[in-house]
Amino acid sequence: MNTNELNDPKDQNLENVEGTNVSVNNNSSDAVEEPKKESADKVSDEEALTPNHDDINDDEEEDVKPIDLDDESTDDDEDDEHADENEEEDDEPSVDYSNMSKDELVQALKDLIYNRPIQKIRQKVESIKSVFYRKHRAEIDKLKKEFVEGGGDIEQFTLPEDNAELQIKELLKLYRQKRAQYNAQIEEEKQKNLALKQEVIEKIKELVNSTEPVGKIYQEFRELQKQFIEIGPVPQASLNDLWNTYHHHVQAFYDFVKISKELRELDFKKNLESKIKLCEQAEELLLEPNVVAAFKKLQKLHDQWREIGPVPRENQNEIWERFKEATTKINKKHQEHFENLKEQYKKNLEAKKELCEKAEELAAQNPETIKEWNKLSKDLIELQKIWKTIGFATKKENNKIFERFRNACDNFFNKKRDFFKEIKEQQQNNLQLKTELCIQAESMKDSTDWKKTTEDLIDLQKRWKQIGPVPRKYSDEIWKRFRAACDYFFEQKSKHFATVDHSYEKNLKDKEALIAEVEAFEFGENIEDNLKALKEFQRRWMEIGFVPIKHKDEIQKRFRAAIQKHFDKINQLDESNKMLIFKAKLEEAKTNPRQLSKLKKDREKMFNRMRKLENDLIVWENNIGFFAKTKNAEAMINEVKQKIEKAKREIEELSEKIRMIDQLDK
């Protein structure tokens, strides 16, 4: 019922006064319509947008889950301008179903359907359904997580049969059937009531033609009025016309049936007192803070107003204007309430559009790292939190804007799921690679080839770092296995070198003594003996062995400096001793890899020098023939011959040195 149908029952033919319509224009194209409750069989779409993903090791996926967005319908009658006229208020206290198990919720729903009037339980049925499916989805998310953590593919996950869900679906289906039956029965009864009331009106209409005494006719009239009121509700579409017809014939009865003035005035006075009470109640509704509740109570007052008969003519305008004034004010507040709602809905729609655009922007991105996905997930969760704080949009747009936002969220979390699915495949591959490294490390841990094994293990550790993360459930286990193998080897190595440190210290002292001996060595007259002595120093040096690593470079540098000082002295001797000196260097090179490398480089230089001298010989010998044809050529010829002889000797010496160097490799 709306206020278009709330008009006065035309006391004593005052159509122009009490027939005035006082209402909210609910037929305008932009009238605000409140979100309705969804049918009992529909599960809330926004309870959960997507399942959560499993944790990822190292740069792991953070535990960021989509927020449950509850169904966008309201349980508050404040936002319901057109409540279901067949529903009745529940006269039993409300129940908190949130702490019940799924089986307990099924039993609670069964008790409601079988033991309570079907027209009084809608709110509790909706509450049970919402709590049940919230718990049901939480169980599904848990099963999915356990399935993935156990190594399963989320695409292959299948829901186990849930007996509680099957039962609640059947109960909800039964509830809908009973409601439909109840509504059909009520509508049928309303049609019957309409026919009965029309029959009563016809009887009242015929009373004016009766020849019975006035007292008997008036008593019959009262009985018919009582029957009319007691018959019950009629279809809403017929209500206004029915009451107008009724009051028309009641008025006609009063006009044509000549009853005593005292009785008529007494009847009108009682009616006036009843209507004054209704005015007082309507005026009290102006103080009601709940505008919608006030409007609904006003509807009931208008129903009662219709049932009351005429009032004295002198009070008709006054009492109607009083009641109409209260009605107008309440209607105005009611209209303003929904106009404000309409404006707020528009603002909410704009806010939600902005959130949709941001969510779609996030969903369009394609992050390549876990860190980036985690950041975007937090951003989207923040958008969902804001969404929860925004009220409804207009009914026409509310479902559309919600679907748009949900689709953006779904797209984002589907892409995220695919990304982490690929990541998990990579991690499984990484696990295999790291397992192979563990096997290699374990095969080396007992090796006593300290230098090579150390290098190999360090190489394995570098490869380990390059491989990337493995599934979290194996992370600690595989790392401890690899580290245990490495630690074992290096512990054994440390123990070994702890035992040789003492001998290294002794070697250091022996080498320091040898250096002192080399530095104190004095050359004799025989160069060959001197070279033998230097060679002996080198042999003794090599036999002493290793020294502590921190002294290695320093002690080696001191020894080389002492030996080189003596070789420099030999280089200053006569040219005839050069070959002898060269032989000494060859002997040194046999025990000194660096000296050997240097000699091989010198060989290349010697070879190039020898080839150059051979070319020069050819040129010089040709030039001698040329010089013989000129005057004063004898001096120049002698000079060239000396060069030729010197070059031949040098070529011979170089050839011998090259041969001796080549012998070192044999």
Side-chain angles (χ1 to χ4, degrees):
M1 180 186 300
N2 62 45
T3 51
N4 279 325
E5 298 161 344
L6 303 183
N7 38 333
D8 190 67
K10 298 181 181 176
D11 284 34
Q12 299 181 6
N13 292 324
L14 296 177
E15 293 93 340
N16 294 331
V17 178
E18 295 191 0
T20 305
N21 255 354
V22 183
S23 65
V24 178
N25 183 10
N26 288 313
N27 297 321
S28 62
S29 61
D30 60 349
V32 178
E33 296 182 78
E34 286 65 54
K36 297 291 192 296
K37 287 286 184 183
E38 296 192 17
S39 61
D41 63 329
K42 182 176 180 182
V43 180
S44 301
D45 290 328
E46 293 192 58
E47 290 283 345
L49 298 179
T50 56
N52 62 303
H53 299 288
D54 295 330
D55 294 329
I56 304 297
N57 192 33
D58 297 333
D59 286 335
E60 64 189 52
E61 177 192 10
E62 297 182 8
D63 190 15
V64 178
K65 300 179 180 178
I67 293 177
D68 287 340
L69 299 178
D70 294 330
D71 215 10
E72 294 202 344
S73 57
T74 176
D75 291 335
D76 192 348
D77 286 340
E78 181 180 347
D79 291 329
D80 190 354
E81 185 182 8
H82 309 293
D84 189 340
E85 61 183 13
N86 293 335
E87 294 292 332
E88 298 180 12
E89 292 185 5
D90 191 356
D91 50 10
E92 291 194 357
S94 60
V95 179
D96 182 6
Y97 295 105
S98 60
N99 294 324
M100 290 187 179
S101 66
K102 289 170 63 176
D103 290 335
E104 289 172 337
L105 291 169
V106 169
Q107 186 59 46
L109 181 59
K110 184 182 296 185
D111 292 342
L112 283 176
I113 294 173
Y114 284 104
N115 301 324
R116 295 289 316 287
I118 204 71
Q119 68 274 21
K120 293 185 177 183
I121 63 174
R122 186 181 69 171
Q123 297 296 329
K124 288 181 177 178
V125 169
E126 291 290 337
S127 180
I128 289 174
K129 181 191 69 173
S130 178
V131 173
F132 180 90
Y133 278 102
R134 189 176 294 115
K135 292 178 180 290
H136 182 63
R137 278 186 294 278
E139 289 181 1
I140 292 174
D141 289 345
K142 182 180 178 182
L143 291 173
K144 286 182 177 179
K145 183 175 181 180
E146 292 174 350
F147 179 77
V148 173
E149 287 180 347
D153 183 352
I154 190 63
E155 300 296 336
Q156 299 176 354
F157 176 79
T158 55
L159 290 175
E161 184 174 299
D162 189 333
N163 187 53
E165 187 189 17
L166 295 176
Q167 290 184 64
I168 206 163
K169 283 183 176 180
E170 288 298 319
L171 288 172
L172 289 173
K173 181 179 179 181
L174 177 61
Y175 168 72
R176 291 192 299 274
Q177 292 172 348
K178 285 196 170 190
R179 275 196 64 189
Q181 292 171 359
Y182 172 78
N183 289 334
Q185 180 181 349
I186 290 296
E187 291 303 315
E188 184 178 353
E189 289 178 359
K190 286 181 179 180
Q191 291 294 337
K192 291 180 180 179
N193 292 340
L194 177 61
L196 291 173
K197 286 196 173 189
Q198 288 172 338
E199 290 178 5
V200 171
I201 291 174
E202 287 298 319
K203 291 179 181 180
I204 293 175
K205 179 180 176 181
E206 293 298 324
L207 286 178
V208 298
N209 299 320
S210 176
T211 58
E212 296 290 335
V214 172
K216 184 177 180 181
I217 294 174
Y218 185 76
Q219 185 64 34
E220 186 178 351
F221 169 72
R222 281 300 192 187
E223 287 296 326
L224 290 174
Q225 279 188 313
K226 183 179 179 182
Q227 290 178 31
F228 186 89
I229 293 173
E230 290 177 349
I231 284 174
V234 299
Q236 191 73 25
S238 305
L239 182 65
N240 208 36
D241 290 341
L242 180 70
W243 276 105
N244 287 338
T245 303
Y246 169 74
H247 284 292
H248 170 76
H249 291 292
V250 167
Q251 187 68 43
F253 175 81
Y254 280 119
D255 289 341
F256 290 100
V257 179
K258 306 300 181 182
I259 61 176
S260 67
K261 182 178 179 182
E262 292 79 8
L263 184 62
R264 176 187 177 95
E265 288 179 352
L266 179 62
D267 197 20
F268 283 8
K269 182 179 179 181
K270 289 181 179 179
N271 293 342
L272 178 61
E273 290 174 353
S274 297
K275 289 195 173 183
I276 289 173
K277 290 181 180 179
L278 292 184
C279 289
E280 292 172 349
Q281 294 178 38
E283 290 162 352
E284 290 175 359
L285 290 179
L286 292 172
L287 303 177
E288 169 64 52
N290 189 323
V291 176
V292 176
F295 179 76
K296 291 182 177 180
K297 292 176 182 177
L298 180 65
Q299 290 177 318
K300 294 181 180 180
L301 295 182
H302 273 264
D303 290 338
Q304 296 175 41
W305 183 279
R306 289 190 183 97
E307 296 171 0
I308 300 173
V311 299
R313 184 177 295 274
E314 64 270 18
N315 300 113
Q316 288 175 356
N317 285 345
E318 178 186 358
I319 195 65
W320 171 243
E321 289 297 329
R322 180 179 177 183
F323 189 66
K324 185 178 73 172
E325 181 181 4
T327 296
T328 302
K329 290 180 180 179
I330 294 173
N331 282 339
K332 184 178 180 181
K333 291 174 67 176
H334 186 254
Q335 182 177 10
E336 290 174 349
H337 169 73
F338 284 102
E339 285 177 350
N340 292 336
L341 277 182
K342 174 184 173 184
E343 187 62 30
Q344 185 61 49
Y345 288 164
K346 289 181 179 179
K347 292 180 180 179
N348 293 345
L349 178 60
E350 292 304 314
K352 288 188 172 184
K353 283 182 178 179
E354 185 177 348
L355 291 182
C356 286
E357 291 171 358
K358 292 180 179 179
E360 288 163 351
E361 182 180 345
L362 292 177
Q365 298 188 42
N366 295 293
E368 297 181 354
T369 66
I370 296 176
K371 184 177 181 181
E372 291 174 348
W373 271 111
N374 287 335
K375 181 183 181 303
L376 293 184
S377 296
K378 289 180 180 179
D379 292 342
L380 188 58
I381 296 304
E382 285 302 314
L383 295 184
Q384 291 182 340
K385 288 180 181 178
I386 297 173
W387 181 279
K388 292 275 286 185
T389 65
I390 301 175
F392 295 102
T394 60
K395 183 177 180 181
K396 180 180 179 181
E397 299 291 339
N398 196 63
N399 289 341
K400 293 180 181 178
I401 198 67
F402 163 63
E403 289 297 327
R404 180 180 173 185
F405 185 71
R406 185 181 66 177
N407 288 339
C409 293
D410 285 347
N411 290 339
F412 176 87
F413 285 109
N414 286 338
K415 287 171 67 175
K416 180 180 179 183
R417 181 195 63 191
D418 293 341
F419 173 82
F420 280 97
K421 179 181 178 182
E422 183 177 347
I423 287 294
K424 288 178 181 179
E425 291 175 355
Q426 294 176 359
Q427 290 182 339
Q428 288 295 332
N429 184 54
N430 292 343
L431 177 62
Q432 181 62 33
L433 294 175
K434 287 191 173 182
T435 301
E436 293 174 1
L437 293 186
C438 288
I439 294 172
Q440 293 181 47
E442 289 165 348
S443 68
M444 299 178 188
K445 70 175 187 176
D446 294 316
S447 173
T448 56
D449 188 349
W450 309 115
K451 185 175 184 301
K452 183 178 184 305
T453 306
T454 298
E455 294 173 351
D456 291 343
L457 284 177
I458 290 174
D459 180 63
L460 291 184
Q461 290 172 347
K462 291 179 180 178
R463 288 164 58 189
W464 180 279
K465 292 181 179 179
Q466 294 171 353
I467 288 176
V470 301
R472 162 176 279 195
K473 63 188 297 185
Y474 301 110
S475 178
D476 287 345
E477 177 184 349
I478 197 69
W479 167 242
K480 289 177 180 178
R481 179 180 175 184
F482 181 72
R483 183 170 181 175
C486 294
D487 286 350
Y488 180 84
F489 170 80
F490 287 111
E491 287 171 2
Q492 298 306 309
K493 178 182 176 182
S494 297
K495 291 178 182 179
H496 169 76
F497 283 101
T499 61
V500 300
D501 280 348
H502 179 70
S503 63
Y504 283 3
E505 291 292 339
K506 181 178 181 302
N507 293 341
L508 177 62
K509 292 180 180 179
D510 291 343
K511 286 194 174 184
E512 287 176 341
L514 182 58
I515 291 172
E517 187 177 344
V518 171
E519 290 173 342
F521 177 70
E522 295 290 342
F523 271 10
E525 295 182 359
N526 190 316
I527 294 178
E528 187 173 352
D529 290 340
N530 293 335
L531 290 173
K532 287 181 180 181
L534 294 179
K535 180 179 177 182
E536 181 63 19
F537 287 145
Q538 291 174 332
R539 184 191 63 77
R540 289 168 58 192
W541 178 270
M542 295 300 295
E543 288 180 350
I544 291 176
F546 296 108
V547 299
I549 189 69
K550 62 181 179 179
H551 298 294
K552 176 183 176 183
D553 292 339
E554 178 189 359
I555 200 71
Q556 186 73 18
K557 184 177 179 181
R558 286 177 57 193
F559 178 73
R560 288 178 181 172
I563 288 290
Q564 189 62 41
K565 183 177 180 181
H566 290 300
F567 277 111
D568 289 343
K569 288 181 180 180
I570 294 176
N571 288 336
Q572 296 173 3
L573 298 178
D574 187 74
E575 185 75 20
S576 61
N577 294 320
K578 285 185 178 180
M579 187 57 72
L580 187 60
I581 295 172
F582 182 75
K583 291 180 180 180
K585 287 185 177 181
L586 290 177
E587 291 298 325
E588 179 187 2
K590 291 180 180 180
T591 57
N592 189 334
R594 291 187 180 180
Q595 183 64 25
L596 179 60
S597 177
K598 183 176 181 305
L599 282 174
K600 289 185 177 182
K601 291 180 180 179
D602 289 343
R603 180 196 182 283
E604 188 67 22
K605 294 178 182 179
M606 293 176 190
F607 183 80
N608 292 336
R609 172 66 177 168
M610 188 172 67
R611 287 290 175 262
K612 183 177 182 305
L613 289 174
E614 289 174 347
N615 291 334
D616 289 343
L617 281 176
I618 295 172
V619 174
W620 291 336
E621 289 174 348
N622 289 337
N623 287 343
I624 289 177
F626 175 75
F627 291 147
K629 298 177 182 179
T630 62
K631 295 180 179 180
N632 302 318
E634 186 176 351
M636 295 179 65
I637 291 172
N638 290 333
E639 183 179 351
V640 171
K641 285 182 177 180
Q642 289 177 2
K643 287 183 179 180
I644 290 172
E645 289 300 324
K646 184 178 179 181
K648 287 181 178 180
R649 289 196 301 272
E650 189 175 353
I651 288 172
E652 183 179 352
E653 180 181 339
L654 290 172
S655 177
E656 179 62 19
K657 286 182 177 180
I658 290 172
R659 185 189 66 77
M660 294 172 67
I661 291 173
D662 291 342
Q663 288 294 324
L664 291 176
D665 293 331
K666 295 182 181 180

